[in-house]
Amino acid sequence: MPAGPTPSRVDRNARLAVNAMFFTNGAILANLVPRYPEIKAALGLGNTVYGLAVAAMPVGAIVAGLAAGWFIRRFGSARVATFGTMLASLCILAAGLSPNLALFALSLLAVGAADAIIDVAQNAHGLRVQRRYGRSIINSFHAFWSMGAVAGGLMAAAAIALRLSLGIHLTISAALFTVVAVLAQRNALPGRDGDEQAVASPGEVAGETRRGVNWRIVAVLAALSLISIGGSIVEDLGTSWATLYLQTLGAPAALAAFGFVSLVGAQFVGRILGDWFVNRWGERTVARAGGLLIAAGMGLALAFPSIPGTVAGFAAAGLGCATLVPAAMHAGDNVKGLKPGTGLTIVSWLLRVGFLVSPPIVGAIADNASLRMGLLIVPLAGLLVALLAAVLEGRRAT
């Protein structure tokens, strides 16, 4: 995309505001993730039941995701992102303080619902800012999400090391990031969101699918959806299981948090460098290399288990998956033969399947074999991505 006009002060402030939205969204959940083992132990959950409970989050996201557009049209993307952050923070606090499985799962269901709406709202506002800049800046916003996840993970590790209770720790997190969200809204773009985003509704997607999709389009969308699901599975398994797996290897609680931190930290680096990599070699080559890096890094970590090797393996997985979901969504939006936004909507919707199915599958394998065996899904997902990367765009001619 060619260089756009010089951004105004309002545009620059809005870009900082969207950076803060993404940072906050990454940080609030990351404060809870490293403390999952405490909650699991306190509630006396087995691996299968724990996996099913964690899967309540993507269920909430799938159910509520369809309502995001209505909220944004009614209240505006910046306001929705802000109030969604407040709600998500309170639900995360409720999850941490849940006295039983039912309330824990219900709290995570609400977190997932709020997060799905926040995700659409902050991306919608980010795209408003990008259009005013006249060039691509959307990857930098996602890099700030990863940065927030690292910061939240480190906050949780510090809270564990300082022996802060879940209530005190998550109250501090909720208060801090609510303030950040409110300040971000004050610096967001003025006015209401326009209709220039070409995003199809589920009804339009279904209608168009019935009318004119041929088998080539179906095959391409299926491959792109599997690439995005592969990337999401790698990220989600690191979120849900890295801390627990490191503890099975003998890592103390504060150190075990660095499995998750290393994944999202490497993912942040990959997203910062991702645009340069794609411009240099093309989405196809970058995705194929990412899939092979995931397979090799986590494959070696699982084959030769150790605490340093596992942290490094999750870091390799984070770096490898950094650009997969954006690449699949970009390609989906450019599928020929579909109205603008239809392919993107389909890929985005199916993406959440990975977040839904992976935790209970790993939990069931862990209970019947071992968590180490369950995590073999990560290198297998990397290999699948490497095989399917051919549907992505190659290097552009200069």
Side-chain angles (χ1 to χ4, degrees):
M1 182 178 292
T6 302
S8 67
R9 184 172 183 178
V10 170
D11 297 337
R12 292 194 298 270
N13 287 343
R15 183 176 184 177
L16 293 174
V18 178
N19 285 340
M21 292 176 191
F22 274 83
F23 182 93
T24 298
N25 184 239
I28 55 174
L29 180 59
N31 268 276
L32 176 65
V33 168
R35 307 205 72 164
Y36 274 162
E38 294 175 55
I39 300 171
K40 179 175 178 288
L43 298 179
L45 305 180
N47 288 320
T48 301
V49 175
Y50 167 75
L52 290 170
V54 172
M57 195 180 302
V59 169
I62 290 172
V63 171
L66 297 177
W70 182 88
F71 279 109
I72 292 170
R73 288 191 298 271
R74 180 69 177 81
F75 301 106
S77 55
R79 187 177 299 177
V80 169
T82 298
F83 283 95
T85 297
M86 295 178 183
L87 176 61
S89 296
L90 292 175
C91 293
I92 287 170
L93 175 60
L97 298 179
S98 295
N100 55 55
L101 171 63
L103 287 177
F104 177 59
L106 184 62
S107 297
L108 291 184
L109 185 80
V111 172
D115 184 68
I117 295 173
I118 294 167
D119 187 46
V120 176
Q122 65 189 11
N123 275 285
H125 207 80
L127 289 170
R128 283 186 66 192
V129 176
Q130 177 171 278
R131 282 188 289 274
R132 291 168 70 108
Y133 266 69
R135 55 187 170 86
S136 177
I137 56 174
I138 194 69
N139 286 322
S140 67
F141 295 144
H142 286 268
F144 268 87
W145 184 94
S146 298
M147 189 188 303
V150 172
L154 291 174
M155 283 177 63
I160 293 169
L162 294 172
R163 301 182 183 275
L164 289 182
S165 69
L166 275 162
I168 293 175
H169 166 210
L170 296 178
T171 297
I172 293 171
S173 172
L176 173 62
F177 292 112
T178 292
V179 171
V180 174
V182 171
L183 292 175
Q185 183 191 342
R186 293 180 60 182
N187 288 281
L189 290 176
R192 303 298 295 273
D193 294 80
D195 297 326
E196 59 272 25
Q197 295 96 330
V199 178
S201 70
E204 292 169 333
V205 171
E208 183 165 338
T209 301
R210 288 193 298 269
R211 288 194 301 271
V213 175
N214 59 40
W215 286 110
R216 182 195 65 81
I217 293 176
V218 171
V220 170
L221 288 175
L224 294 174
S225 297
L226 287 172
I227 290 172
S228 67
I229 289 171
S232 72
I233 283 177
V234 173
E235 179 182 330
D236 188 54
L237 293 187
T239 299
S240 302
W241 298 100
T243 303
L244 288 168
Y245 179 61
L246 278 163
Q247 287 187 339
T248 68
L249 299 180
L255 178 59
F258 280 86
F260 168 71
V261 170
S262 69
L263 185 144
V264 293
Q267 186 183 61
F268 166 71
V269 173
R271 285 174 171 170
I272 286 290
L273 300 176
D275 285 330
W276 186 88
F277 287 148
V278 168
N279 290 331
R280 180 73 172 80
W281 290 293
E283 289 177 338
R284 182 186 307 150
T285 299
V286 173
R288 186 172 287 142
L292 293 175
L293 180 60
I294 293 167
M298 279 304 296
L300 289 171
L302 294 171
F304 306 100
S306 70
I307 294 173
T310 299
V311 172
F314 279 112
L319 184 62
C321 77
T323 65
L324 297 182
V325 172
M329 290 184 173
H330 173 255
D333 203 36
N334 290 329
V335 172
K336 294 180 180 179
L338 295 176
K339 291 180 181 178
T342 302
L344 173 61
T345 301
I346 293 172
V347 173
S348 299
W349 181 253
L350 292 176
L351 162 66
R352 299 193 180 273
V353 173
F355 290 108
L356 176 63
V357 303
S358 56
I361 289 175
V362 172
I365 296 173
D367 276 343
N368 289 282
S370 67
L371 183 52
R372 181 183 172 195
M373 291 294 294
L375 289 176
L376 282 174
I377 292 176
V378 175
L380 291 176
L383 290 175
L384 179 65
V385 167
L387 290 172
L388 296 175
V391 300
L392 296 172
E393 187 178 82
R395 181 182 178 184
R396 293 182 180 180
T398 56

